[in-house]
C-alpha cells in the first residue's frame, strides 16, 4: 500500500508500517498465524473497517489460516462483536475466500 499511495498520503502508510509492523509485529510471544488471526478480529470488532478486514482475511490466508479456521474464530467472537459486525466480517471472508 505504501508504493501505491498518492505522494501526499505516503506518510500515513509509513506511520502505519512503522507503528504496527515495526513496533508490534516484531514482538515475541505470539506466532505470526495467531497475530494475524487476532488482528482480523480486533479490526472486525471495531466496525466500519471492511477494507482492512478484507486485507486481513487475505493476510490470514497468506500466513496459513484457512477459511474454516477464520469462520471458527468469527463464531467464537460473535458474543463479543455482536451479530451485525460478525455478519459484516463473514461477508468479507466470503468475498475474499469464495469457496466453501
Amino acid at each position: 500500500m505504501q508504493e501505491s499511495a498518492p505522494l501526499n498520503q505516503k506518510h500515513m502508510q509509513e506511520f502505519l508500517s512503522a507503528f504496527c509492523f515495526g513496533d508490534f509485529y516484531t514482538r515475541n510471544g505470539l506466532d505470526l498465524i495467531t497475530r494475524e488471526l487476532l488482528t482480523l478480529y480486533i479490526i472486525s470488532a471495531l466496525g466500519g473497517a471492511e477494507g482492512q478486514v478484507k486485507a486481513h482475511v487475505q493476510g490470514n490466508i497468506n500466513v496459513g489460516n484457512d477459511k474454516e479456521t477464520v469462520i471458527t474464530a468469527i463464531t467464537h467472537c460473535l458474543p463479543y462483536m455482536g451479530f451485525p459486525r460478525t455478519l459484516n466480517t463473514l461477508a468479507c471472508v466470503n468475498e475474499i475466500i469464495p469457496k466453501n
Side-chain angles (χ1 to χ4, degrees):
M1 291 184 68
Q2 248 178 325
E3 292 175 8
S4 63
L7 187 57
N8 66 348
Q9 298 172 29
K10 283 194 180 289
H11 66 285
M12 294 297 251
Q13 293 301 321
E14 291 169 2
F15 294 160
L16 174 81
S17 293
F19 184 67
C20 291
F21 298 104
D23 293 337
F24 292 98
Y25 268 66
T26 58
R27 291 178 56 86
N28 294 325
L30 295 174
D31 61 35
L32 186 57
I33 292 172
T34 304
R35 287 177 201 230
E36 191 58 43
L37 198 59
L38 286 170
T39 301
L40 173 61
Y41 296 104
I42 292 165
I43 290 172
S44 297
L46 293 172
E50 282 73 21
Q52 291 81 7
V53 169
K54 291 175 189 177
H56 283 283
V57 168
Q58 185 61 57
N60 271 275
I61 296 305
N62 293 348
V63 299
N65 287 320
D66 61 10
K67 187 173 184 177
E68 191 61 34
T69 299
V70 171
I71 291 173
T72 298
I74 289 172
T75 303
H76 179 76
C77 293
L78 172 63
Y80 309 102
M81 290 173 39
F83 278 98
R85 289 181 179 161
T86 301
L87 293 174
N88 288 347
T89 302
L90 188 56
C92 292
V93 169
N94 287 327
E95 182 179 327
I96 301 301
I97 317 168
K99 63 183 181 202
N100 288 331

